[in-house]
Amino acid sequence: MIKSSKIVIIGGGIVGCSTAYHLANLGLEVCLIESGKLTAGSTWHAAGLVGQLRTNANITQLLGYSVDLYDKLEKETGLSTGWKMNGGLRLACNKERWQEVLRQTTTAHSFGLEMELLSPKEAQDLWPIMNIDDVYGAAFLPTDGQANPTDISQALAKGARNKGAKIIEETKASKVVIEDGKIIAVETDKGTIQCEKIVCCCGQWTRQFAQTVGVNVPLVSFQHQYLVTEKIDGVESSLPTLRDPDRLIYFKEEVGGLAMGGYEPNPLSWAEKSVPDNFHFSLLDSDYDHFEQIMNNALGRVPKLETAGIKELINGPESFTPDGNFILGESPELNNFYVGAGFNAYGIAAGGGAGMALAEWVTNGRPPYDLWPVDIRRFGKPHQDLEWVRKRTYEAYAKHYTMAWPYEEHSSVRQFKTSPIYENLKKANACFGEKMGWERPNWFAPPGTEPKDIYSFNKQNWFEVVGNEVKTTREAAVLIDQTSFAKFIVSGEDSQKAMEFLCANNVNKPIGSTVYTQMLNHDGGIECDVTLTVIAKDTYYIITGTGFMTHDFNWITSNIPKDYKVNVKNITFDNSVFSLMGPNSRKILQGLTDTDLSNKNFPFASYKKIKIASIEVNAIRITYLGELGWELHFPIDKASEVYEKIMDYGSQYGLINAGYRCIESCRLEKGYRAWGSDIGPDHTPLEAGLIWATKINSDIDFIGKQALLNQKNLGIKKIFAGFTCDDPEQIILGRETIFRNGKQVGWLSSGGFGYTIGKPIGYGYVRSNEVINKDFLLEGDYELEIATKKVPCKIHLQPIYDKEMIKIKS
C-alpha cells in the first residue's frame, strides 16, 4: 500500500486502466485501486466489438481515438491486445432502414470516416455464411474492428505502470474522506490513501459508491447475453463484425467460431437494490428461454448456427443509462470527484478515448473538446429518481437497435413534471414531447385529429400543422408554454462584478435591462448561452435552456471567484414562463395591462413588472422566434389564470397555441444559434458570428477575453453560416456534409424547414486549414450531401428572415 497519491482511480476495468495510462502519460501522480483483479467487473466478459460512428462528431472522434490507440498499444507495451481492424458491416432489411443507413453514411462522411454502401451480394462476399434473402443493402466501415477486452486492459495497465502509475489490486475503497467540502483521502480495507482527486470508474458499482458522497450517477444494470460457438466452416479470422439491427443482433469472429448477441425488446434488469460487492469474474445463470428470440433471429441470418456447437451462453450484466450514452466528467455535486461509467455495452469501443478525455478533464479542469452528449451535467431532477431511471433505461436498452427516427420522443415514465396548464394544453390537442422530465407541447393537432407523432425519414405527419403555427406566428400571435426554462437568481453585493467576469457581453446595465450573452471558457469557447435581466440592484435573473439547468448552474457557481459575496439560487420550479409572440402580441398584452407597452416606453431587450388580472408578471421583451413579443414570468401557481386570460382576450386577434417545433422553424429562419449543436465549448463568438454580443473592445476583463483577442489578431479557420436548398422536398436534419467548390469543408450542426421562406434550412461551420473570412465564404459554390446525394444550396451569412430586425423592434 501507499500513503498518498494526488489522484486515485477506483476501478480496474478498461476505462479505469485507460485513465491511469493517460494520466501517467501526462506525468501526473496516479494510483489505481481495484477491489478484485483488473477487468473483474464487466470488462472481462464484454463482447469486444469496436465501432466508431455516432451521431455526434466529437463522440465519433473519441471512439476513433480508441481505434488509433489500440492499433499502436501492442507495439508500445509488448502485450497482445487482440485488436483487429477487420471492418464492420451494418445490414438494412427494408426501405426505412436503408434510409437510416444512407443518413448514417453521410454522417460518416461528414465526420471523416470511410463508409461504403454495398449491395446484398457485395455484403455476402464479405460475410459468406450469411443468408441475404431479406437484405435490402448494407454499409461497411473498414476501420471498425474487434478487440480482446482483458488483453487491452492489461496492456493499458502495463503502459500506465511503465510511466509511473501505481496499480493495486484486491483493495476495496470503502469511504471518501471529505473535510470542509474537499476530498482529502480514500479509505480502503488496506489503509487510507491521501489524495486530492478521485476518478470513479466502478462500472455497475458506480451509482451506489457515488451516492455515499452525494453524487448522482444515473445508471442501472441489465442482463446482456451472447453465445460463443465452436469453430464453423467458412468463418475466417478476417471476418468483419456484423450488426443486423432489424433482427436485433450482432456477430463477431471468435477463434474460428462466432460470438453472437443482441438487444431484446424486453430486457431483464439485475441487482435492482445494489450490485453485490463480491461479483468478480462472475456471471449470471444463462437464460435460454429469454435468449430464444435473439437465437431465432440469428438462425434466419446464419443458418449454420443450427448445427454449430455452442461453447457457452454468457450472461454478463452491464450498466446502462437512460439515454444510451456513457457518463464522463467532474460531478456537479462534489469538486474533484470525476466519473467514467455507464458504457451501455460499448465500453471497449469507448475505453481508449474515454480514458484520454477523463485524464485531460482531471488535469485541466475541462475535457479536450466538447463532450456534452456524455457530460454528467446533462442530467437533472428526473435522473435522481431511481425508478424513473430504471424505466427510461429499460426503454433505451430495448431501442438499442430499433430505428433512430428523426424527432423521436421517449414513451416511458412520462408526465414526471407537468406545467400547471398541462390539462389546458391537452384539451387544446397538444402533442407533447419531453425534456428533462418536463412535458412540453411540440405541436397542436387540428380538432378531430389524434395528437400523435408518426415517424418517418420524409415529412412527418405534423409538417403542415407546424407550418400553420409558424404562419400564425408571423401574421398574428401565438402563446407557447415555456415553463420548463431553467431560471436562476444571482444576487449579493458582488453580483455585478461576478457577472461582468463570467459574461462575455456587457451586463453593467440599468435595472430593467435584458442582455443576451455567452459565458466563455479560457479558450474563448461558449460554455453557456443565456439571457440575463437586471431585475433589481445587484440582482440578476438568468434564463437558459431546459436541458442545461445542471450544466449552467454548475458553470456559474464554479467560476465565481471564491472571495466574492454572491448568492446563486435555482428557481426553475418556482416560475412559469409563457412566450407571447407575433405582430399582434402588443395589442393582446396591452388589452390585459395598464402598463404602457409602446415601443418608446417598453423597447426591445428590456423588462418591466406588469399586472395581468391583478397578478404581478415579469415581462421581458425578448424573442427566439424573430417577432415582436414578450416572455412572461410569474409564480407557477398563477399559470392557469394567466393562460386563460391571455387566450380569451387574444382570440379576437387570431391568437393560437404553438409548440416547440414552431420555435425551431422560426429560430432557423432567423439564424439564432442553439447551444449543444450550433454553438458550444469548441466554438468561439468570433467563429459563431456572435462577437457583437461581447465586450471585447472594452477595458473590462472576462473569462475568455484574452483568447478572443488572440484569435481576432490571428484570424479564424471556421465560420458559422446558413444554407438553404431551393428544392422544398429535401429533408435536412443536421450532420449533412457541406461542400464548397466540390471540396468537403464541414457539416451541418442543425437543420429543419423554414415555412415562411418555403425552403429547408441548415446551419454549420465552413472550415479550412488556412485563415478565412466572409469574402472567402461568399465566393464559393455550395452543395450539401443529403443521404449520400449532393444537392445544390445557397450560403447565408445574415438572417434569412427580417435581416434588419424591423419586426422585433417594431
Side-chain angles (χ1 to χ4, degrees):
M1 276 297 292
I2 60 172
K3 296 294 184 183
S4 68
S5 177
K6 285 191 178 298
I7 304 161
V8 172
I9 300 169
I10 304 173
I14 190 168
V15 179
C17 291
S18 179
T19 305
Y21 171 88
H22 287 93
L23 282 169
N25 269 343
L26 291 170
L28 278 84
E29 183 184 40
V30 58
C31 169
L32 182 152
I33 58 174
E34 161 59 44
S35 60
K37 295 287 188 181
L38 295 183
T39 77
S42 301
T43 298
W44 72 277
H45 62 68
L49 281 74
V50 178
Q52 299 166 79
L53 181 62
R54 294 296 183 272
T55 57
N56 176 274
N58 286 355
I59 304 304
T60 299
Q61 180 182 342
L62 183 144
L63 298 178
Y65 177 90
S66 293
V67 166
D68 293 341
L69 176 64
Y70 301 162
D71 216 19
K72 67 181 183 182
L73 196 58
E74 185 170 339
K75 184 178 180 181
E76 177 189 331
T77 64
L79 294 183
S80 171
T81 61
W83 165 246
K84 291 193 298 184
M85 193 183 287
N86 48 352
L89 264 176
R90 176 174 286 261
L91 303 183
C93 298
N94 52 63
K95 288 184 179 180
E96 290 78 15
R97 182 71 74 177
W98 186 242
Q99 281 293 310
E100 182 186 56
V101 166
L102 293 177
R103 294 272 172 183
Q104 289 171 334
T105 302
T106 285
T107 298
H109 296 164
S110 290
F111 299 166
L113 284 178
E114 186 181 351
M115 191 166 176
E116 306 163 12
L117 294 175
L118 306 179
S119 68
K121 182 63 175 65
E122 289 170 328
Q124 191 179 46
D125 290 343
L126 288 175
W127 231 85
I129 63 169
M130 72 170 166
N131 172 24
I132 58 170
D133 288 349
D134 63 339
V135 175
Y136 192 90
F140 181 63
L141 281 92
T143 56
D144 279 358
Q146 63 187 72
N148 183 307
T150 298
D151 289 352
I152 281 187
S153 302
Q154 293 291 353
L156 287 166
K158 182 178 180 182
R161 288 190 186 101
N162 289 345
K163 294 286 186 177
K166 299 286 190 290
I167 296 180
I168 307 171
E169 298 176 284
E170 297 182 340
T171 301
K172 177 178 167 51
S174 54
K175 182 182 178 182
V176 177
V177 183
I178 300 171
E179 284 186 7
D180 298 325
K182 290 185 178 180
I183 294 169
I184 63 166
V186 177
E187 289 182 4
T188 79
D189 57 357
K190 303 284 179 60
T192 298
I193 306 173
Q194 305 294 319
C195 66
E196 298 173 2
K197 299 180 180 181
I198 288 173
V199 188
C200 184
C201 301
C202 304
Q204 298 173 93
W205 291 268
T206 299
R207 177 175 56 81
Q208 58 205 57
F209 185 79
Q211 273 180 340
T212 64
V213 290
V215 171
N216 183 51
V217 184
L219 57 80
V220 289
S221 295
F222 278 85
Q223 300 180 40
H224 186 71
Q225 296 192 105
Y226 67 93
L227 64 78
V228 181
T229 75
E230 303 284 358
K231 287 188 176 182
I232 298 175
D233 287 342
V235 175
E236 304 292 336
S237 64
S238 59
L239 197 71
T241 61
L242 177 69
R243 292 170 178 84
D244 186 354
D246 290 306
R247 290 178 179 262
L248 311 176
I249 53 176
Y250 61 79
F251 297 87
K252 74 160 189 169
E253 183 272 337
E254 184 81 10
V255 198
L258 292 174
M260 181 279 291
Y263 293 86
E264 63 275 20
N266 56 336
L268 299 175
S269 61
W270 179 71
E272 294 195 355
K273 292 183 179 178
S274 63
V275 181
D277 286 344
N278 60 350
F279 197 76
H280 298 154
F281 294 113
S282 302
L283 296 171
L284 304 178
D285 291 339
S286 301
D287 191 335
Y288 285 92
D289 289 339
H290 193 73
F291 195 69
E292 184 178 7
Q293 57 188 319
I294 296 296
M295 189 68 204
N296 287 337
N297 288 347
L299 287 169
R301 180 63 62 222
V302 183
K304 283 190 174 185
L305 281 176
E306 194 162 357
T307 56
I310 306 299
K311 284 184 180 178
E312 57 183 332
L313 178 61
I314 294 170
N315 187 356
E318 300 191 38
S319 57
F320 291 81
T321 65
D323 61 5
N325 283 324
F326 51 90
I327 303 171
L328 292 183
E330 185 178 15
S331 75
E333 299 94 343
L334 178 62
N335 288 347
N336 292 326
F337 187 93
Y338 293 80
V339 173
F343 281 86
N344 300 277
Y346 65 100
I348 310 309
M356 174 275 294
L358 267 177
E360 295 208 21
W361 217 321
V362 170
T363 304
N364 303 318
R366 62 182 187 270
Y369 38 77
D370 180 14
L371 292 174
W372 173 243
V374 299
D375 192 316
I376 192 170
R377 294 170 295 176
R378 73 188 187 271
F379 299 120
K381 192 164 186 175
H383 305 95
Q384 297 165 7
D385 183 321
L386 183 56
E387 193 57 31
W388 188 97
V389 170
R390 197 179 308 288
K391 289 178 179 177
R392 178 58 60 84
T393 306
Y394 181 101
E395 180 185 1
Y397 182 110
K399 284 182 172 178
H400 192 92
Y401 273 164
T402 58
M403 204 80 70
W405 297 112
Y407 310 105
E408 185 175 8
E409 293 281 352
H410 293 291
S411 58
S412 59
V413 280
R414 295 294 296 268
Q415 299 183 42
F416 176 85
K417 185 68 179 173
T418 57
S419 160
I421 64 165
Y422 174 79
E423 290 300 329
N424 303 73
L425 300 180
K426 191 174 178 182
K427 287 176 184 174
N429 231 15
C431 182
F432 290 95
E434 179 262 340
K435 188 81 167 184
M436 199 69 97
W438 285 92
E439 292 294 315
R440 312 194 309 179
N442 278 340
W443 56 280
F444 288 81
T449 305
E450 184 182 7
K452 180 182 178 182
D453 288 323
I454 300 174
Y455 298 120
S456 167
F457 282 101
N458 300 311
K459 292 178 180 177
Q460 299 192 358
N461 65 311
W462 43 263
F463 183 84
E464 299 294 341
V465 178
V466 172
N468 183 59
E469 291 180 15
V470 172
K471 186 174 188 290
T472 307
T473 304
R474 301 295 189 215
E475 297 176 0
V478 296
L479 191 70
I480 305 172
D481 180 12
Q482 295 196 267
T483 297
S484 66
F485 267 153
K487 318 163 197 81
F488 315 135
I489 296 285
V490 178
S491 60
E493 62 182 87
D494 291 327
S495 60
Q496 180 180 313
K497 191 164 60 167
M499 289 299 98
E500 284 185 338
F501 180 61
L502 261 64
C503 296
N505 209 344
N506 179 18
V507 298
N508 184 5
K509 299 277 189 179
I511 294 169
S513 302
T514 294
V515 179
Y516 168 62
T517 184
Q518 287 83 42
M519 299 181 188
L520 312 181
N521 57 40
H522 288 282
D523 291 330
I526 299 169
E527 291 287 349
C528 307
D529 183 61
V530 306
T531 58
L532 176 151
T533 299
V534 189
I535 60 173
K537 179 175 168 52
D538 296 327
T539 306
Y540 297 87
Y541 184 47
I542 296 177
I543 310 297
T544 188
T546 304
F548 313 137
M549 181 184 75
T550 304
H551 175 278
D552 288 9
F553 189 83
N554 175 254
W555 180 263
I556 292 167
T557 54
S558 299
N559 285 280
I560 293 174
K562 301 302 180 191
D563 58 337
Y564 283 21
K565 294 176 181 177
V566 180
N567 179 56
V568 186
K569 185 180 180 183
N570 185 350
I571 62 162
T572 296
F573 304 101
D574 298 343
N575 280 7
S576 270
V577 184
F578 295 162
S579 290
L580 178 63
M581 298 288 157
N584 290 347
S585 59
R586 180 180 283 120
K587 294 176 187 174
I588 296 167
L589 199 56
Q590 189 65 81
L592 295 165
T593 185
D594 294 333
T595 304
D596 178 4
L597 303 180
S598 66
N599 195 49
K600 181 180 179 181
N601 187 58
F602 202 155
F604 180 72
S606 64
Y607 148 88
K608 289 183 184 296
K609 288 184 182 293
I610 67 173
K611 283 197 173 181
I612 297 176
S614 75
I615 297 168
E616 192 170 85
V617 173
N618 292 327
I620 302 173
R621 190 171 163 196
I622 199 77
T623 182
Y624 195 54
L625 286 81
E627 295 291 339
L628 171 69
W630 282 263
E631 281 180 12
L632 307 174
H633 299 248
F634 47 86
I636 201 163
D637 61 348
K638 302 296 184 182
S640 294
E641 191 175 348
V642 172
Y643 173 79
E644 289 166 6
K645 290 287 184 184
I646 295 174
M647 291 304 294
D648 287 347
Y649 186 78
S651 61
Q652 63 187 303
Y653 296 105
L655 179 67
I656 66 168
N657 290 295
Y660 275 79
R661 302 244 166 96
C662 171
I663 296 174
E664 179 64 7
S665 176
C666 289
R667 77 97 185 166
L668 288 170
E669 291 186 326
K670 196 71 180 99
Y672 292 142
R673 284 69 161 154
W675 194 89
S677 53
D678 301 322
I679 55 176
D682 291 346
H683 312 300
T684 71
L686 272 164
E687 295 162 342
L690 295 171
I691 198 65
W692 59 268
T694 73
K695 51 182 180 278
I696 188 173
N697 295 320
S698 76
D699 58 359
I700 302 170
D701 192 24
F702 60 91
I703 299 174
K705 181 181 181 180
Q706 190 57 52
L708 289 189
L709 289 170
N710 294 342
Q711 191 179 54
K712 186 178 181 182
N713 290 332
L714 294 172
I716 54 178
K717 297 181 180 180
K718 62 179 179 182
I719 297 177
F720 188 77
F723 300 87
T724 56
C725 297
D726 288 337
D727 180 0
E729 298 306 310
Q730 295 295 331
I731 307 294
I732 294 179
L733 300 172
R735 301 184 299 278
E736 290 81 5
T737 318
I738 305 167
F739 287 88
R740 178 187 180 275
N741 296 343
K743 179 184 176 183
Q744 183 175 332
V745 291
W747 63 89
L748 297 185
S749 50
S750 63
F753 194 81
Y755 293 92
T756 313
I757 65 168
K759 296 177 183 180
I761 303 172
Y763 288 93
Y765 290 85
V766 175
R767 301 161 190 259
S768 173
N769 293 325
E770 309 294 331
V771 171
I772 56 175
N773 56 28
K774 292 182 179 180
D775 290 340
F776 172 85
L777 267 66
L778 293 173
E779 290 163 1
D781 292 321
Y782 291 88
E783 297 170 297
L784 295 175
E785 182 185 317
I786 303 173
T788 71
K789 293 186 178 178
K790 288 186 180 179
V791 178
C793 65
K794 293 185 177 70
I795 192 169
H796 303 267
L797 298 183
Q798 293 186 340
I800 300 166
Y801 175 79
D802 189 25
K803 292 185 180 76
E804 294 80 21
M805 292 180 66
I806 293 169
K807 289 178 171 289
I808 293 172
K809 296 185 175 182
S810 62

